[in-house]
Amino acid sequence: MTLHNSSSAASNSDSSATLAKRAAYSVAAGAAAMTAASAEAEVRYSGVQDISIAQFSAQDLNLDGDAYTDILLKNYVFGANYQGATVNFYPGKVVGFNTGINYATALSFGDTIDAGATAGGPFAVSLAYPNNPNSEFDNATGAYIGLEFPINATSHFGWVRVTIDNAAGTFVINDWAYNDTPGEGLFAGQVPEPGTLGLLAAGAAGLAAVRRRRKDAS
């Protein structure tokens, strides 16, 4: 018969539990890091830009940073202040509608932007203009333009957040993002997921807590 020292057995048990917890936290932290990397690889975000477009001018925007601009944003005056947008290359489209005039839909945070949303959509749209009664960006603060645009001849989806005061003639491009996976949509306002980085931090905090408990027990 083999006799075991009870204190030694308890110590071994505590050590095994600690190792198991460490392993679990490490796996969670590793998984979180991989998820974060995956999220960052799919959605590309500009960061806050707040680019002001002067009246009588326009701003070409290159969402993905390649050799081609993707959308032209206009702040013109045609007797009255006019703001509009055009996706530069086929088969680009804006999430919008037509009532005899092509309009962009003012999307809210969380609205889906994908092939279903852009299907049948126009490539050139009115954002705000007194003579266009259905324009949705006349007095827009942080509203989203959803668009489809080509990268290497394949469709990608993105959003541009804008603030427009048609009466004052001001047009500000706040920021933008796009999904770099061909054909895969995103939602308005989507950026690389920060929550996964929070999980990674939580995993590190958990490991620190285990170490503190072990030190207190000794």
Side-chain angles (χ1 to χ4, degrees):
M1 180 185 296
T2 303
L3 297 177
H4 296 281
N5 182 285
S6 60
S7 61
S8 175
S11 176
N12 288 339
S13 176
D14 290 344
S15 178
S16 297
T18 299
L19 288 172
K21 287 179 182 178
R22 284 183 176 177
Y25 282 123
S26 296
V27 169
M34 290 176 65
T35 304
S38 175
E40 289 176 2
E42 293 174 358
V43 177
R44 304 294 187 181
Y45 176 52
S46 67
V48 175
Q49 300 291 317
D50 290 341
I51 301 168
S52 184
I53 307 174
Q55 280 190 294
F56 302 96
S57 64
Q59 177 69 53
D60 259 315
L61 202 59
N62 188 339
L63 273 67
D64 60 308
D66 64 6
Y68 304 97
T69 57
D70 301 307
I71 184 169
L72 179 67
L73 299 164
K74 312 164 190 176
N75 192 11
Y76 296 157
V77 179
F78 298 130
N81 295 331
Y82 169 86
Q83 289 83 30
T86 301
V87 180
N88 293 337
F89 297 102
Y90 180 85
K93 307 179 194 68
V94 175
V95 177
F97 58 97
N98 182 290
T99 59
I101 297 170
N102 290 330
Y103 293 98
T105 301
L107 300 176
S108 300
F109 180 87
D111 286 344
T112 299
I113 304 167
D114 60 11
T118 60
F123 72 92
V125 292
S126 171
L127 297 172
Y129 188 48
N131 293 342
N132 293 347
N134 295 312
S135 54
E136 297 189 354
F137 289 81
D138 293 324
N139 189 16
T141 301
Y144 296 90
I145 303 168
L147 70 150
E148 176 181 350
F149 67 99
I151 301 177
N152 296 325
T154 60
S155 285
H156 289 68
F157 297 91
W159 57 260
V160 180
R161 186 169 63 97
V162 300
T163 295
I164 295 172
D165 184 337
N166 176 260
T170 59
F171 191 157
V172 178
I173 304 168
N174 301 122
D175 50 3
W176 60 86
Y178 75 99
N179 193 325
D180 70 2
T181 302
E184 187 171 308
L186 75 171
F187 63 80
Q190 183 175 351
V191 297
E193 180 56 60
T196 52
L197 300 179
L199 287 174
L200 181 59
L207 281 173
V210 169
R211 292 191 184 105
R212 283 196 300 271
R213 284 197 298 270
R214 185 181 183 192
K215 183 177 180 180
D216 291 343
S218 62

